[in-house]
Amino acid sequence: MTARTNIACLGAGRMGRGIAVAFAYAGHAVTMIDIKGRSAEDFARLEADALNEVRKTFASLARLGLLADAQADMLIRRVSVVPAGESDTALSSAGLVFEGVPEVVELKREVLAATSKRVGRDTIIASTTSTILVDDLSGAIEHPGRFLNVHWLNPAYLIPLVEVSPGAATDPIVIDEVKALLEGIGKMPVVCAATPGFIVPRIQALAMNEAARMVEEGVASAEEIDKAIRYGFGFRYAVLGLLEFIDWGGGDILFYASRYLEGALGSDRYRAPEVISRNMQEGRIGLRTGAGFLDYSGLDVDAYRETRLKAMVDLLRHFGLARPPVFDGD
């Protein structure tokens, strides 16, 4: 793929529009393809609605200082919407096609099968599904080595993370090309195995259910729980990854805390996984032993800590929470 490869999106819904904004902002031409058979009048309404939303998004980004007002009109010209019957040009010129149709396996397979017959043999095809495994879809595609899941988080044009999930047949070269293309538009791709929930949805489902459960149990109000997430949970993990944070405190602390919570709350959902016990037995406690989930051998630990703490101080300033010290007489 070239640095300015053409992008096609199957479907002109929320995901297609978000992807269109992300790529058009980065210099790519993007065509959203309507997959439904509609009358000319109905398609005109869809086209107007899709382009109007894209235009409003660019206007919002201008108000937020990411572009000048005059640039919004230039960017919108990179985005187009075409009906299903007029998609041959868009598909034949696309280096990457994103499928963003409703989360129905048979519908996705039908759309992907038809698309794979109409694009070039080297055109990469990616499903944006958040629930369906890549290998449940790849059988419908001609040359499945060029197929994988690419899961965006909404709003797709702002959230840096994109989860890339290859299947058993996916060519490793395709993974590298997709990662390079995403990095080229300012995204942070992560590769994960084909497993339900990928990475973020799987973790956040547990966290969201636990937050809702705490409201149900009267632990705290919704407002207090959300404040705790913004200024504690979210604050820390904007700087430190979850596994990195385990290493900071030590896997043994998580082990004993988990055992206490499992007993006190009477639920095995707090039980530490076997990898925590195994790391402890192998001496992989974390920073203080030089290895945990991550390897810290040869690292200047003091400098590393300083870098992470500086990032937290920057966040304090962002939230308006950084204050000077108080002295007598102040």
Side-chain angles (χ1 to χ4, degrees):
M1 288 186 290
T2 66
R4 292 289 182 269
T5 190
N6 291 343
I7 304 297
C9 296
L10 302 173
R14 179 60 53 83
M15 183 54 65
R17 298 172 192 187
I19 292 173
V21 169
F23 276 101
Y25 184 91
H28 297 261
V30 185
T31 303
M32 289 184 277
I33 299 170
D34 183 21
I35 64 164
K36 294 183 179 180
R38 303 176 195 265
S39 66
E41 183 179 348
D42 286 345
F43 173 76
R45 279 195 291 267
L46 172 72
E47 180 184 30
D49 182 65
L51 293 179
N52 187 48
E53 183 174 335
V54 170
R55 186 175 291 105
K56 285 183 176 180
T57 301
F58 282 132
S60 175
L61 295 180
R63 290 193 298 272
L64 294 171
L66 287 176
L67 59 127
D69 289 334
Q71 292 175 316
D73 289 335
M74 298 171 61
L75 295 177
I76 191 66
R77 289 198 289 270
R78 295 173 178 165
V79 181
S80 59
V81 187
V82 299
E86 300 175 17
S87 60
D88 283 349
T89 299
L91 289 174
S92 63
S93 64
L96 178 56
V97 178
F98 289 102
E99 171 270 309
V101 305
E103 296 288 278
V104 179
V105 173
E106 289 311 314
L107 174 60
K108 286 183 180 291
R109 288 175 62 87
E110 178 184 341
V111 170
L112 288 167
T115 300
S116 70
K117 292 179 173 66
R118 299 168 62 198
V119 297
R121 184 187 179 106
D122 295 327
T123 300
I124 296 173
I125 305 174
S127 175
T128 63
T129 178
S130 61
T131 56
I132 302 169
L133 298 184
V134 58
D135 291 331
D136 291 337
L137 299 173
S138 61
I141 294 171
E142 289 189 354
H143 314 301
R146 37 89 175 265
F147 178 69
L148 72 176
N149 280 357
V150 178
H151 174 231
W152 301 66
L153 278 66
N154 278 315
Y157 56 88
L158 282 183
I159 303 299
L161 182 73
V162 182
E163 297 177 315
V164 176
S165 181
T170 308
D171 189 328
I173 294 175
V174 168
I175 302 170
D176 291 340
E177 289 183 354
V178 169
K179 286 176 60 181
L181 184 64
L182 291 170
E183 288 166 351
I185 67 168
K187 296 302 180 181
M188 295 291 289
V190 295
V191 178
C192 63
T195 184
F198 302 96
I199 298 172
V200 172
R202 183 168 167 178
I203 292 172
Q204 74 182 10
L206 290 174
M208 290 190 295
N209 280 324
E210 196 65 18
R213 188 175 288 111
M214 286 192 287
V215 173
E216 184 178 65
E217 293 174 355
V219 173
S221 69
E223 292 79 10
E224 293 297 290
I225 292 170
D226 276 355
K227 185 186 293 184
I229 295 301
R230 288 192 186 99
Y231 299 109
F233 191 95
F235 185 93
R236 274 198 307 223
Y237 298 128
V239 174
L240 296 168
L242 280 168
L243 299 174
E244 185 181 15
F245 183 72
I246 293 173
D247 286 351
W248 266 57
D252 53 335
I253 292 177
L254 175 61
F255 175 81
Y256 292 116
S258 298
R259 190 163 66 175
Y260 172 78
L261 287 172
E262 181 182 1
L265 295 172
S267 175
D268 62 5
R269 71 179 183 270
Y270 295 101
R271 183 177 302 161
E274 181 60 31
V275 66
I276 298 295
S277 301
R278 188 166 61 249
N279 279 357
M280 288 172 60
Q281 293 166 4
E282 296 173 356
R284 299 176 60 86
I285 304 299
L287 267 180
R288 65 180 184 268
T289 62
F293 281 98
L294 304 175
D295 185 3
Y296 305 95
S297 60
L299 182 71
D300 184 334
V301 173
D302 289 338
Y304 158 71
R305 285 184 182 275
E306 188 81 7
T307 299
R308 291 295 189 264
L309 292 173
K310 180 184 181 302
M312 289 188 182
V313 170
D314 290 342
L315 276 178
L316 283 176
R317 294 193 175 103
H318 169 77
F319 285 113
L321 296 174
R323 298 183 179 185
V326 175
F327 298 99
D328 292 342
D330 286 356

